[in-house]
Amino acid sequence: MSEITGGELLARCLANEGVRFLFGLPSPEIDPLLAQLGAHEIRLVPVRHEAAGVHMAEGLYKTTGQVAVVLGNPGPGSANLLPGVITARHEGVPVLALTSQHRLGIVYPSPPSTFQGQDQLDVFKPAVKWNGPILSWERIPEVVRLAFREMWAGRPGPVHIELPAPVLYATGDEASVRLLPPAAYRPPRPQASDAQLRQAADLLRRAKRPLVVAGSGVDRGEANAALLELVELLNCPVMTTMAGRASVPLDHPNYVFGFGGCGDIVKQEADVIVVAGSRLGNLDIPYDKYWGDPTHQQLIQIDVDPRHIGVTRPLALGIVADVNNALEGLVQVLRAQQVRARDGADLGRYRAAAQKWWDEQLVPVKSWPGPGIHPAHVMQAVGATFGSDAVYVTDGGNTSLWAHSCLPSTRPRSYHSILELGMLGTGIPSAIGAKLGAPEREVVCVTGDGAAGFNFMEMQSAARDGVKITTIVCAEGSWTMEEPNERMLYGRTFGTNQGTVRWDRVAEGLGCHGEYAERSEDVEPALRRAQGAKGPAVVCVRTDRDANLAIPTEMLVRFTEVYQGPMG
């Protein structure tokens, strides 16, 4: 009889689920697991803050589809995971939060005398899809299966397992262990029915002006090709949600920018709209004045989570299914019915209107007199330097909006932003996770200086582990997005001044390459040098606060409506 520890058994279970990375910090309670990670090809990535570890797992998943484990030690270490776990829940990121715990004699419940004692099960319960403890060696495989089943059921999300130290240190008979492959205990994703596909095809076949809207679920469900096949078959316009920017190439001939005047025309004229992999949340302002009279439109919504269906717009047909399966099936039915593509006249009109609208929006950018650096010019220089094959991770307030508008078209799963939950500080650790999952690709984080301050210490994690990312910090020393409302209503600001930080010098102190640019002509050479650096690099760009505030008025009004409701 060969005995193994609970730590080794758990490592085997995690490897069986495809886990290749664990983000967290060591502690005596979890050492039996950490000791076995290497033997099962799982890499431990130490972090500076546990929440950043969850954001690393987020970047890994959004780029590659891989799921990771994040570790929280008893008490404060586990509490530190919560901001990241809440982000993962809101954004549909599958991750296993593993919290270690003291000996069983002083927990469940913990008396006030327990050092770092808290009931972590209660703390995590509202933040995850499922959670539970493992209280015996024998149940480790079973509880891991329970957790991963819930993680992948419907829309993916975080789950939580609590592990008292004695369970990991305990030993048991290796011969008694039975590990099931995931396919043996997890059902496949829900499939669209033939009747639903025929009904959707009938609506689209009769449509005069169909429209396809792609959300982030298309990107993460790897349904990009199927969605474009549908668009090209119908020869109809396609747009993305704010969070779903990477789901459609921005240079595709059928693409229309949805967050502006031309997008409004397309949405208002559409008679049948297919929304794939999106909740149609408030960030996409689904108000009638932008989307048209819902009584004259028929909405087909496809999503893996029934709670997302028909939330903000009334339905003609809701399909709860894997988005790739549904789109592929819909294309097959339409081809069998020999549907005719539209003549493209409307599409040509839309594209002309989009170009006119964009030219108008860019007038203030092109005419910016300086002397400070305009953030839009920074984004254009970033795009020119790193191109469309890079993975872009964006962070910050107005910085994220400029990035959304000005960075280049990307490949699928290659543009990650905070435009779902809006959690600041995710950018740098998410970029690290993306690079770990795709080491052959360039990974670029573009962030504001407010957002950078949350997790900038993770640049040291990148330097320590040799993770070559490039971070560009647009630095004007202000919480700029917060200023307009305060100045308009009160004539002054409250706590928006951050002071000056030379992020390049901080980066050098953390072991990274640093560059600084305070003139427009300095930006691209600084980016090129950072790109060529051997290790991780930070470019501090002294952007102009007034320029950063000068978001095109129409777009600023729309973003204000996210919080205040429709205006006018």
Side-chain angles (χ1 to χ4, degrees), residues 8 12 145 187 235 253 410:
E8 181 169 352
R12 292 185 184 186
R145 288 196 297 271
N235 195 27
T410 67

Side-chain angles (χ1 to χ4, degrees), residues 27-325:
S27 75
E29 291 84 2
I30 206 74
D31 282 349
L33 170 63
L34 303 185
Q36 294 296 324
L37 294 180
H40 298 281
E41 299 183 339
I42 300 173
R43 179 175 173 179
L44 170 64
V45 181
V47 297
R48 285 290 183 165
H49 192 283
E50 289 85 352
V54 191
H55 299 318
M56 291 178 190
E58 174 187 340
L60 176 73
Y61 168 69
K62 288 181 177 179
T63 305
T64 68
Q66 295 180 46
V67 63
V69 175
V70 295
L71 181 61
N73 297 325
S78 293
N80 281 344
L81 286 175
L82 284 169
V85 170
I86 290 169
T87 304
R89 179 67 183 271
H90 195 90
E91 302 203 357
V93 174
V95 61
L96 171 59
L98 197 62
T99 60
S100 56
Q101 185 54 279
H102 298 298
R103 64 186 189 276
L104 289 169
I106 57 172
V107 295
Y108 311 134
S110 295
S113 57
T114 304
F115 177 65
Q116 295 183 337
Q118 64 176 353
D119 191 332
Q120 293 167 172
L121 293 169
D122 280 353
V123 168
F124 276 81
K125 195 173 189 65
V128 296
K129 294 182 66 178
W130 177 92
N131 75 331
I134 302 180
L135 300 180
S136 68
W137 185 94
E138 295 79 7
R139 295 200 69 189
I140 291 175
E142 175 197 359
V143 177
V144 170
R145 288 196 297 271
L146 286 171
F148 275 82
R149 183 186 292 114
E150 294 292 337
M151 176 193 293
W152 289 110
R155 190 179 192 233
V159 293
H160 167 230
I161 290 177
E162 174 98 322
L163 269 167
V167 178
L168 283 181
Y169 279 90
T171 59
D173 182 5
E174 181 180 19
S176 68
V177 174
R178 184 185 179 200
L179 297 185
L180 299 175
Y185 77 89
R186 291 206 308 257
R189 310 287 279 170
Q191 313 289 292
S193 70
D194 291 340
Q196 289 173 323
L197 295 175
R198 287 195 301 270
Q199 184 180 351
D202 288 343
L203 290 170
L204 288 169
R205 192 181 65 252
R206 295 195 298 265
K208 295 181 179 179
R209 291 194 176 106
L211 166 65
V212 175
V213 179
S216 61
V218 169
D219 205 32
R220 295 172 202 166
E222 299 182 341
N224 314 70
L227 181 124
L228 289 180
E229 192 173 359
L230 174 65
V231 168
E232 291 162 5
L233 181 62
L234 298 172
N235 195 27
C236 70
V238 59
M239 60 182 60
T240 73
T241 63
M242 292 286 278
R245 187 185 191 270
S247 58
V248 174
L250 305 189
D251 53 2
H252 190 278
N254 292 59
Y255 171 79
V256 178
F257 183 69
F259 201 67
C262 176
D264 298 344
I265 297 171
V266 179
K267 288 179 283 194
Q268 290 162 3
E269 291 187 359
D271 55 351
V272 177
I273 302 176
V274 178
V275 174
S278 172
R279 297 168 286 186
L280 275 190
N282 287 344
L283 200 60
D284 298 294
I285 46 176
Y287 307 135
D288 290 353
K289 70 174 186 174
Y290 296 116
W291 284 76
D293 184 352
T295 63
H296 297 149
Q297 292 176 331
Q298 293 177 301
L299 174 65
I300 303 167
Q301 190 172 1
I302 304 168
D303 201 278
V304 75
D305 192 334
R307 295 171 298 180
H308 292 174
I309 302 286
V311 175
T312 55
R313 303 289 289 174
L315 289 170
L317 174 63
I319 301 177
V320 179
D322 173 80
V323 66
N324 188 50
N325 163 263

Side-chain angles (χ1 to χ4, degrees), residues 497-521:
N497 182 38
Q498 296 177 24
T500 300
V501 177
R502 282 289 301 269
W503 298 98
D504 55 315
R505 292 178 178 172
V506 178
E508 289 169 352
L510 298 177
C512 302
H513 179 86
E515 292 284 345
Y516 181 67
E518 57 182 358
R519 300 179 303 166
S520 292
E521 58 267 31

